[in-house]
């Protein structure tokens, strides 16, 4: 049976002496979310592999992510963070890639968030090494992503959480169309994730069904991957299982479609 892969999870520890947090970063609840705490939710759901996303408050210190990958070989893939304004972001990417990292988180902010020389170096390196640019972006950043994808057509790109369409509670057709327009770039993929944060923000998340169907019709199963966005998916009264059930129960997906959505797309992107 193909593996079920959760393509987006954050982990952190309350051991701040060994793994200090960057100055000025805000705290998140819970106080810790370690792999052991994660497995309480993921293992009963049949999840066998997980992509760890560098937690924001560690910034460019990927130590905890890397240590957890080493502590659980074959279980965790990794998406790190490097400083695009640092002296050599391309070299930083390659060093993390040597340790199993297969993607790099970039976060939208302002019209020129992709305009720096360092960011262009990262995208150029992504194209040469097939390391993914993993974009946490809202719809107002889709146009700049589109331009960057056109400039670097061989760079793998993964858009987190449906591009956060519906994060304000309203799912707009125009924003779905903007997201789907990015499918013209053949190396762009989308995470069907963070259901707890989109639309009505209430399980079983049926109000997200039409958006999912339009994205699925445009990108296809080999360019969409399911993810939970834990621990946030299991906070505030939300549960882990309904996030997977959304994909399992969506019609008219075939068994093969679900295999790609629930594991094979993520495996090809982050574990190959």
């Amino acid at each position: 049976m193909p593996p079920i892969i959760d393509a987006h999870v954050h982990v952190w520890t309350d051991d701040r002496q060994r793994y200090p947090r960057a100055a000025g970063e805000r705290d998140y609840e819970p106080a810790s979310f370690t792999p052991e705490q994660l497995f309480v939710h993921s293992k009963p759901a049949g999840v066998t592999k997980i992509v760890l996303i560098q937690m924001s408050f560690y910034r460019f210190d990927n130590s905890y992510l890397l240590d957890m990958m080493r502590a659980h070989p074959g279980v965790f893939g990794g998406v790190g963070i490097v400083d695009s304004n640092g002296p050599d972001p391309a070299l930083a990417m390659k060093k993390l890639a040597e340790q199993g990292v297969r993607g790099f988180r970039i976060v939208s902010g302002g019209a020129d968030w992709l305009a720096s020389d360092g960011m262009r170096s990262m995208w150029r390196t992504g194209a040469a090494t097939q390391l993914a640019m993993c974009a946490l972006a809202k719809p107002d950043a889709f146009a700049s992503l589109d331009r960057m994808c056109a400039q670097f057509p061989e760079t793998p790109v993964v858009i987190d959480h449906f591009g956060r369409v519906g994060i304000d509670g309203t799912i707009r057709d125009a924003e779905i169309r903007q997201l789907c327009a990015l499918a013209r770039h053949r190396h762009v993929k989308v995470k069907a994730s963070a259901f707890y944060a989109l639309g009505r923000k209430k399980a079983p998340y049926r109000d997200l069904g039409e958006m999912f169907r339009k994205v699925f019709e445009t990108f296809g199963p080999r360019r969409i991957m399911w993810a939970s966005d834990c621990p946030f998916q299991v906070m505030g009264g939300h549960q882990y299982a309904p996030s997977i059930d959304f994909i399992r129960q969506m019609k008219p997906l075939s068994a093969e479609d679900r295999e790609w959505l629930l594991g094979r797309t993520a495996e090809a992107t982050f574990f190959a």
Side-chain angles (χ1 to χ4, degrees), residues 130-195:
Q130 289 302 285
L131 298 170
M133 299 294 102
C134 300
L136 180 64
K138 291 182 180 180
D140 61 3
F142 291 167
S144 54
L145 274 173
D146 182 66
R147 291 191 295 270
M148 204 68 163
C149 290
Q151 186 176 352
F152 298 97
E154 298 303 314
T155 302
V157 176
V158 180
I159 299 172
D160 292 342
H161 314 326
F162 289 109
R164 296 198 283 183
V165 172
I167 197 167
D168 64 353
T170 301
I171 300 172
R172 300 173 179 83
D173 287 342
E175 293 178 349
I176 297 173
R177 288 194 296 272
Q178 287 179 294
L179 174 62
C180 288
L182 293 169
R184 74 185 183 94
H185 306 289
R186 63 191 180 96
H187 291 297
V188 173
K189 299 175 182 177
V190 175
K191 285 180 186 170
S193 55
F195 299 103

Side-chain angles (χ1 to χ4, degrees), residues 76-115:
F76 291 140
V79 170
I81 298 179
V82 300
D83 184 359
S84 64
N85 295 313
D88 196 339
L91 179 60
M93 288 172 63
K94 292 173 183 176
K95 287 183 176 179
L96 287 172
E98 291 173 356
Q99 299 175 79
V101 170
R102 291 292 175 266
F104 295 89
R105 181 162 242 208
I106 56 175
V107 179
S108 66
D112 60 350
W113 70 293
L114 295 173

Side-chain angles (χ1 to χ4, degrees), residues 10 70 83 264:
H10 302 278
R70 283 189 285 265
D83 184 359
R264 293 173 71 180

